[in-house]
Amino acid sequence: MKTATPAMARAINDRLALDLLLERGPLTAPQLRTLTGLSRPTVSDLIERLREAGLIEITGEYGEDRRGPNARLYGLVADRAHVAGVDVRRVAVHVTIADITGQVVGSATRAIDGSLETLIEDVILEAAAGRELDTVIIGAPGLVDPRDGEVVSDNDVPGWRRGLMGAVGERLGVPVVLENEVNLAAIAELRIGAARGSEDFVLLWLDDGVGAAVVLDGRLRRGVSGGAGEIGFLEVDGAPYCDQVEPGVVRGLGRAELAGRIAKGAFAFVALLDPGLIVVGGKTGHDGGDELAALVSERLRERSPAPTEVRVSTVTGNAVLQGAVLTALDLTRGRVFG
C-alpha cells in the first residue's frame, strides 16, 4: 500500500472541503473542522490555499452576535467557471448555462433554421451572455459511438453531419462532448430524479423519440457502439416498438392499453437485466403519472417473477438539459477542483 505524499494529502483535503461547500453551501472554519475531522491548522492552511487559488471567498458571517475569524463564512466562487448544457431536438436547440455551483445563470432556445453548426454556436453564445465557458455537453438523438463521440445512425436532426461537434468546439474554443439525449436524461434521474438512491435502473423514454438508458452499479452503460437501450428498434407483436408508443399513437389509447404496451418494452429489460426499477420518462411518463406507473407494474408482474418497481420521472423541466449540465459540471469540477 502506498503512503499518501503531503501534496496528495493536501489535494484530497482540498477536494473534500470543496465538495462539502458544494453540498451544504457556505461554512465556517469550525464547521469545516467538524465535518472533515481535520485539525485546526490543516483547515486554516486549506482555506488559505483555496482562497489564493480563487476557488473560495468570504461570503458573510455566521451568527448574529459573533465576530472574528471563526464567524467568517466561506463559500465557492460561483463564477470561477461556467458550463453549457445543450439539447438538440429535431425542431429546436435549447441551451442552459450554469456556474460552477450548478446555479442556472442563462438560457436560450431557437428553432432550427439554416446552418445547424452556426445555430448551435449562436444559441450557446446568446445564453452565455459573454461568460467564458469551460465545458459544453450536447445531447442529441441517435447512437453516439463512445469511441469517437460521433452519431453512427440517422437522427433526423436537419443539417446534422459527421464532425459537427468538432466544428462547434473549434468555433467556441472549448471542449464539446456529444451524448445521446436519453442517456443524459437518465443522469438527471439518477442524480436528482426518480432513481436517486438507486444504483440499478432503466429509464424508458417516451417522448418525441422512443428509447431507453441503462444504469447498472450507478454507471451509465452505453454498449460498444452506443446502442445500449435502443428499445425503439425492437419488434414487438410484429411491429417496431417505437411505432406502438410514439406520441401520435399514445393519444388515442386508453390507460390500460397504454400500460400494456409500455410493459412489453420494459419486460425486455426486466428479463435480461433484472434492474429492479423502471423509470418511465418523457411526456408520456409525466402525463400518465403514478396511475400509469402502477398499471405498468401490474402488467410486469403478470410477465415476470422478478420484482420490479415502476416509477414515473420526477425531474421537472427539461431532463436532457439538466443531465447535460450535471455531466458538464462533473468534468469542469474535476479539472478546476483537481
Side-chain angles (χ1 to χ4, degrees):
M1 179 183 295
K2 292 185 178 180
T3 302
T5 64
M8 183 184 299
R10 287 193 295 270
I12 292 172
N13 292 339
D14 290 354
R15 185 59 192 262
L16 176 60
L18 290 167
D19 286 343
L20 283 169
L21 292 172
L22 272 172
E23 177 186 351
R24 297 171 178 260
L27 298 168
T28 64
Q31 288 170 333
L32 282 170
R33 292 198 299 269
T34 299
L35 292 168
T36 62
L38 299 173
S39 67
R40 180 188 296 266
T42 300
V43 170
S44 296
D45 288 345
L46 76 81
I47 286 175
E48 188 62 28
R49 280 195 305 275
L50 296 178
R51 290 186 66 186
E52 290 180 355
L55 296 176
I56 67 173
E57 60 186 353
I58 297 173
T59 61
E61 291 186 333
Y62 179 77
E64 295 180 359
D65 301 322
R66 298 188 62 184
R67 295 292 184 270
N70 284 339
R72 293 172 185 163
L73 282 166
Y74 298 94
L76 295 172
V77 178
D79 62 359
R80 179 64 172 76
H82 293 91
V83 303
V86 184
D87 178 15
V88 179
R89 297 295 177 103
R90 295 172 179 84
V91 297
V93 175
H94 312 272
V95 177
T96 293
I97 307 295
D99 63 31
I100 202 167
T101 70
Q103 182 68 37
V104 173
V105 296
S107 62
T109 297
R110 288 194 199 176
I112 293 180
D113 183 20
S115 168
L116 184 59
E117 179 181 321
T118 301
L119 176 63
I120 293 174
E121 178 193 16
D122 288 347
V123 183
I124 291 173
L125 292 177
E126 177 186 342
R131 299 178 181 90
E132 185 176 347
L133 298 177
D134 185 274
T135 307
V136 176
I137 301 293
I138 297 180
L143 277 66
V144 179
D145 193 324
R147 295 164 294 192
D148 62 10
E150 293 282 355
V151 172
V152 297
S153 61
D154 184 13
N155 63 6
D156 295 328
V157 176
W160 195 279
R161 62 176 177 80
R162 188 173 183 82
L164 178 65
M165 294 300 99
V168 172
E170 289 180 5
R171 284 172 169 264
L172 294 172
V174 299
V176 173
V177 179
L178 178 66
E179 179 61 271
N180 172 267
E181 94 275 34
V182 182
N183 285 347
L184 291 176
I187 294 297
E189 294 294 346
L190 176 65
R191 301 275 287 275
I192 60 173
R196 189 172 184 179
S198 302
E199 291 196 339
D200 303 293
F201 76 98
V202 169
L203 170 64
L204 193 58
W205 183 258
L206 306 175
D207 207 285
D208 59 348
V210 174
V214 178
V215 174
L216 298 175
D217 298 325
R219 296 178 58 194
L220 184 67
R221 305 294 177 167
R222 298 176 176 85
V224 173
S225 61
E230 289 295 337
I231 187 71
F233 297 139
L234 185 68
E235 187 172 291
V236 177
D237 295 337
Y241 185 67
C242 60
D243 293 344
Q244 301 182 42
V245 291
E246 59 94 13
V249 172
V250 164
R251 283 192 292 269
L253 297 178
R255 192 62 58 92
E257 173 65 19
L258 173 59
R261 293 192 182 192
I262 293 174
K264 288 178 180 179
F267 175 67
F269 294 105
V270 172
L272 292 173
L273 302 176
D274 186 19
L277 173 63
I278 300 290
V279 177
V280 183
K283 187 176 186 303
T284 298
H286 282 287
D287 289 350
D290 292 338
E291 180 184 353
L292 179 62
L295 288 171
V296 174
S297 181
E298 289 179 12
R299 299 297 181 272
L300 284 176
R301 283 197 297 271
E302 295 168 0
R303 289 173 168 267
S304 171
T308 306
E309 185 177 3
V310 180
R311 304 174 189 166
V312 294
S313 168
T314 57
V315 176
T316 57
N318 188 320
V320 176
L321 270 182
Q322 294 185 62
V325 168
L326 289 167
T327 303
L329 286 170
D330 285 345
L331 294 174
T332 294
R333 289 168 182 167
R335 184 188 68 79
V336 175
F337 291 167

